[in-house]
């Protein structure tokens, strides 16, 4: 403070409207505050220490001389996603979702949503709302919200969106003389079963096991068939079922 008080006068330090010191008398009981000659010292600065500081003295004529200082306290960003317990959000297919991500820090951070390495939305107001209107299995996966204000690195929070949907299945084959290798690729968001049929008989039956909240499981199932024993064209099918439905694919 470059103000020199009149004889018998004193300097008053304020933070906003709150008096910190009146001369050498400490008004606010904060051990972090101290005076050093004409300077105010603030230790272990926090975000609440930002704002206007002023030093003033009243002249003998009754006038008030004031010096003002604006302090901006910068901090690394923080970010959080609301609505997901333990980082996992499980919904049924077709559900409409509204996910809110909030960022904190000084300066106020920009907030963005990411799926994988692709940014899908961005907001400059420290709050971003992500709307998912279909709730399909394609929307399942990892969603990350990032907050960045240029102080240190960006902060991030991640959830996994698990969509409970009917399974999907794809069947393919490869022929080598009389041997036909049939491959069934199944995708399921919940535990279920895979069954492969040939000539009306079950040639493979396997369970799909999965821990709750884990991303949709993609599994491959193979059988080798001797087709030279068959006198006519026979269908090979693969059926996948879970709690949400049953799907089937086949080849001749």
């Amino acid at each position: 403070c470059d103000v020199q008080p009149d004889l018998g006068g004193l300097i008053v330090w304020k933070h906003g409207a709150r008096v910190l010191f009146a001369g050498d008398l400490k008004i606010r009981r904060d051990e972090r505050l101290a005076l050093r000659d004409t300077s105010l010292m603030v230790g272990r600065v926090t975000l609440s220490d930002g704002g206007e500081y002023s030093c003033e003295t009243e002249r003998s004529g009754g006038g008030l001389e004031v010096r003002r200082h604006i302090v901006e306290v910068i901090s690394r960003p923080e970010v959080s996603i609301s609505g997901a317990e333990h980082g996992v959000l499980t919904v049924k297919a077709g559900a409409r979702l509204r996910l809110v991500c909030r960022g904190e820090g000084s300066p106020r951070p920009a907030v963005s949503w990411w799926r994988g390495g692709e940014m899908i939305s961005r907001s400059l107001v420290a709050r971003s709302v992500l709307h998912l209107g279909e709730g399909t299995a394609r929307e399942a996966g990892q969603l990350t919200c990032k907050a960045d204000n240029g102080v240190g690195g960006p902060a991030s929070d991640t959830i996994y969106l698990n969509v409970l949907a009917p399974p999907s299945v794809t069947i393919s084959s490869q022929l080598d003389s009389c041997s036909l290798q049939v491959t069934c690729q199944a995708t399921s968001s919940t535990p279920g079963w895979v069954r492969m049929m040939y000539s009306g008989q079950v040639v493979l039956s396997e369970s799909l096991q999965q821990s709750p909240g884990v991303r949709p499981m993609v599994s491959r199932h193979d059988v080798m068939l001797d087709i030279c024993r068959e006198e006519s064209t026979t269908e090979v099918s693969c059926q996948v079922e879970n709690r949400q439905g049953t799907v089937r694919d086949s080849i001749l």
Side-chain angles (χ1 to χ4, degrees):
C1 182
D2 59 2
V3 172
Q4 294 296 325
D6 293 340
L7 183 64
L10 50 80
I11 292 177
V12 176
W13 276 100
K14 295 180 178 180
H15 180 201
R18 188 169 187 178
V19 176
L20 306 179
F21 285 90
D24 294 330
L25 178 62
K26 188 175 183 180
I27 306 301
R28 184 174 178 186
R29 297 179 179 180
D30 188 336
E31 62 178 11
R32 301 176 304 125
L33 302 178
L35 290 179
R36 182 179 298 171
D37 298 326
T38 60
S39 299
L40 173 68
M41 312 298 294
V42 183
R44 302 190 303 278
V45 174
T46 66
L47 287 176
S48 63
D49 293 318
E52 181 182 274
Y53 289 81
S54 63
C55 61
E56 60 185 47
T57 186
E58 186 174 350
R59 296 303 183 189
S60 57
L64 191 65
E65 189 172 354
V66 183
R67 299 288 187 273
R68 291 183 171 84
H69 310 272
I70 301 298
V71 175
E72 181 182 2
V73 180
I74 63 174
S75 65
R76 298 186 64 175
E78 297 180 357
V79 67
S80 62
I81 301 172
S82 60
E85 184 177 357
H86 305 302
V88 175
L89 180 61
T90 301
V91 298
K92 291 183 178 181
R96 293 183 178 273
L97 301 180
R98 182 177 181 271
L99 300 176
V100 179
C101 179
R102 292 179 174 84
E104 296 182 356
S106 181
R108 185 171 59 181
V111 175
S112 55
W113 281 97
W114 297 73
R115 177 181 280 118
E118 178 185 1
M119 184 170 66
I120 54 180
S121 72
R122 187 170 186 265
S123 171
L124 299 178
V125 295
R127 181 178 182 272
S128 182
V129 179
L130 181 64
H131 294 276
L132 300 175
E134 297 180 4
T136 65
R138 290 179 300 176
E139 291 182 320
Q142 183 172 287
L143 294 171
T144 299
C145 185
K146 298 181 181 180
D148 191 1
N149 65 355
V151 182
S156 64
D157 191 15
T158 298
I159 66 168
Y160 187 83
L161 177 61
N162 191 27
V163 179
L164 302 180
S168 62
V169 61
T170 302
I171 192 170
S172 60
S173 63
Q174 184 174 350
L175 180 63
D176 182 11
S177 185
C178 288
S179 297
L180 179 68
Q181 179 178 324
V182 181
T183 299
C184 176
Q185 182 168 292
T187 302
S188 180
S189 58
T190 57
W193 284 89
V194 175
R195 292 182 177 88
M196 298 182 70
M197 306 283 293
Y198 177 59
S199 296
Q201 301 294 322
V202 176
V203 293
L204 179 144
S205 180
E206 295 179 346
S207 63
L208 297 174
Q209 297 297 330
Q210 185 179 36
S211 300
V214 177
R215 68 183 57 194
M217 179 174 57
V218 178
S219 58
R220 172 173 169 162
H221 309 267
D222 296 291
V223 294
M224 190 70 70
L225 304 174
D226 184 358
I227 62 173
C228 291
R229 296 180 179 180
E230 298 295 328
E231 298 180 355
S232 60
T233 302
T234 304
E235 180 184 73
V236 183
S237 64
C238 180
Q239 179 174 294
V240 183
E241 61 181 273
N242 65 13
R243 297 168 186 167
Q244 285 70 47
T246 301
V247 292
R248 185 172 179 270
D249 195 11
S250 62
I251 58 173
L252 293 176

